[in-house]
Amino acid sequence: MTESSPTPDAVPAHQRRTPVMADVARLAGVSHQTVSRVINGQSNLRPATREKVEDAIRQLGYRPNTAARALVTRRSATIGVIGSKSGYWGPSTVHRTIQAAGRAAGYFVSSANLQSLTREELVDAIDHLRNQGVEGIVLISATDDAVGVARAQEQWGVPVVVVEGDPQKARWTVGVDQVAGAELGTRHLVELGHTDIVHLAGPQDWTEARARLQGWQNAMYAAGLRPSQHVTGDWSAASGFEVGREIATDEEVTAVFCANDQMALGLLRALSEAGRTVPDGERGVSVVGFDDIPEAPYLIPPLTTVRQDFEAVGRRAIEILRAAIADEPAPDRLIRPELVVRASSAAPVERTPSP
C-alpha cells in the first residue's frame, strides 16, 4: 500500500520547499509555458485554463520571481493604485481587492492614498508612481478632475484605468452599471405604487452621481411619471440628514431613492425626528439606497438597496489594466448591480383626504 504524500500544511515549515513554476504546471495539468503566459498577463488563453492555473497558484502559495521576470521582459512588474483616505466602504473595498488581485497576477503594487482628490494631488501622485517605473495605474476616483488627469497621462504611455470613470471621456474604465442600478432601485418603488419619488443625488462632479440621476429619470419617464426636482448631498450621512429634514416637510413625498447608503442613513434619522415612519403609515416614506454597505441589513428598518460587487470591480480593474499594458482588447468594463429588497420599502398607504 502506497503512502499518500503529505499536504503542504502537514509538512513542518522548516522542511517546506518554496513552490516553483513547474509545481504549478503539474498541479494545473498544463505546460510550463502556459503557466508563464498566465503570469505574464497574456490574454490569448481559454478562461478555463487561466482559472486552473490561478487556482494552482493560490493552492501552492506560489509567488512569481518578479525581479527575474523584469530582467527578462525589461518590464518593472510594478503597478500603481491611487485612492483616497475617505474611508467609504466602496472605494476602500475596491482598493484592497486591487492590491490582492495585482499581487496574485505577479505584480508589485505601489499605493498612494490621498487626503483629497484635487487635480494637483492626482497629478503629483501619478508623477510619483511614474518615477517608480510602474507599468500602469488604477485610479479609484470618478470625479471629473480624475478623468481629466487620466486622459492627460495617455501621452506618456502609462495606461491609467479609472474606476467608475466616464467611458466617453476616459479610454480605460471599469465599474458597475450605475444607470442600470438606479433604474432597478427606482423601478422597485414605482412597481410598489409610488408616484412621487424624490432622488437624493450625490455631487454632480462625480460620474457615478450623474449616472444614478440619469437612471432615476429613465425609470420615472418609462413609468409615465414626471421626475420631481432632485436634491443633492455630498455622499455623507450628515448631508443625508440635512437634506432629509427638508424632504420630511413635503407630505406629498412617499418615497426617496438615495444615491448611496450613507446618505440614506442620515435620511432615516431625519424622517424619524420629523415623525415620518419608514415605510408604513399615512405619513410613511419608503427609502431605497445604493451600495449595500455591511451595516445596511442592521439599520432600523433594514435598508432596501442596490448592491455593487466591489470585489468584482477590483478584480476586473486588474484584468483591464493587464490588457491595457499588453495593448490587447479589454474585457467588458461594466458589472451588473443587484437589487436587495429589505424592510425599508413598501407600497404606499392610502391617505385620508384633508377636511
Side-chain angles (χ1 to χ4, degrees), residues 29 86 95 106 139 169 250 259 282 308:
S86 67
H95 200 148
L139 178 52
K169 299 178 181 178
D250 187 344
E282 280 203 14
Q308 301 195 79

Side-chain angles (χ1 to χ4, degrees), residues 50 54 58 79 93-102 104-105 138 161 163 174-175 308-323 331-333 335:
R50 181 183 299 280
E54 290 176 345
R58 282 191 291 270
I79 59 173
T93 302
V94 172
H95 200 148
R96 289 195 302 272
T97 306
I98 288 172
Q99 289 176 314
V138 181
V161 176
V163 175
V174 60
Q308 301 195 79
D309 190 339
F310 294 115
E311 293 185 353
V313 171
R315 292 191 295 270
R316 187 69 57 83
I318 291 298
E319 293 174 10
I320 291 175
L321 187 62
R322 291 170 71 173
D332 188 358
R333 71 174 189 85
I335 295 167

Side-chain angles (χ1 to χ4, degrees), residues 59-84:
Q59 287 183 49
L60 293 172
Y62 172 71
R63 293 290 179 268
N65 187 333
T66 49
R69 187 178 73 179
L71 288 173
V72 173
T73 63
R74 296 185 180 180
R75 291 163 52 181
S76 69
T78 302
I79 59 173
V81 185
I82 300 174
S84 72

Side-chain angles (χ1 to χ4, degrees), residues 327-352:
D327 197 23
E328 296 175 346
D332 188 358
R333 71 174 189 85
L334 285 179
I335 295 167
R336 291 287 300 179
E338 174 190 358
L339 178 68
V340 181
V341 179
R342 299 192 179 101
S344 69
S345 56
V349 174
E350 186 173 346
R351 302 186 176 190
T352 304

Side-chain angles (χ1 to χ4, degrees), residues 75-233:
R75 291 163 52 181
S76 69
T78 302
I79 59 173
V81 185
I82 300 174
S84 72
K85 296 180 179 179
S86 67
Y88 285 126
W89 167 251
S92 60
T93 302
V94 172
H95 200 148
R96 289 195 302 272
T97 306
I98 288 172
Q99 289 176 314
R103 289 193 296 268
Y107 290 105
F108 291 114
V109 181
S110 181
S111 290
N113 288 300
L114 308 183
Q115 194 66 45
S116 61
L117 295 171
T118 63
R119 180 178 291 270
E120 293 73 19
E121 284 205 31
L122 289 169
V123 170
D124 287 346
I126 289 178
D127 286 346
H128 173 72
L129 291 170
R130 284 181 50 239
N131 289 337
Q132 293 181 16
V134 298
E135 296 183 38
I137 296 169
V138 181
L139 178 52
I140 309 172
S141 171
T143 63
D144 290 337
D145 276 348
V147 173
V149 169
R151 288 184 64 181
Q153 294 300 313
E154 291 179 7
Q155 62 180 308
W156 302 109
V158 176
V160 180
V161 176
V162 184
V163 175
E164 301 297 352
D166 185 342
Q168 303 302 317
K169 299 178 181 178
R171 182 181 180 188
W172 304 101
T173 65
V174 60
V176 171
D177 190 333
Q178 305 292 334
V179 173
E183 289 173 347
L184 280 175
T186 308
R187 191 182 307 123
H188 168 67
L189 292 169
V190 169
E191 290 172 350
L192 286 172
H194 295 278
T195 56
D196 196 337
I197 304 169
V198 170
H199 178 42
L200 174 45
Q204 292 302 292
D205 60 338
W206 287 68
T207 301
E208 295 160 288
R210 292 197 298 269
R212 293 171 197 176
L213 173 62
Q214 182 64 57
W216 167 70
Q217 292 172 333
N218 290 352
M220 293 291 283
Y221 284 128
L225 300 172
R226 184 176 180 275
S228 59
Q229 181 66 34
H230 67 276
V231 289
T232 304

Side-chain angles (χ1 to χ4, degrees), residues 259-271:
N260 77 339
D261 290 348
Q262 293 288 343
M263 291 193 296
L265 191 158
L267 171 69
L268 290 175
R269 171 68 182 272
L271 292 172

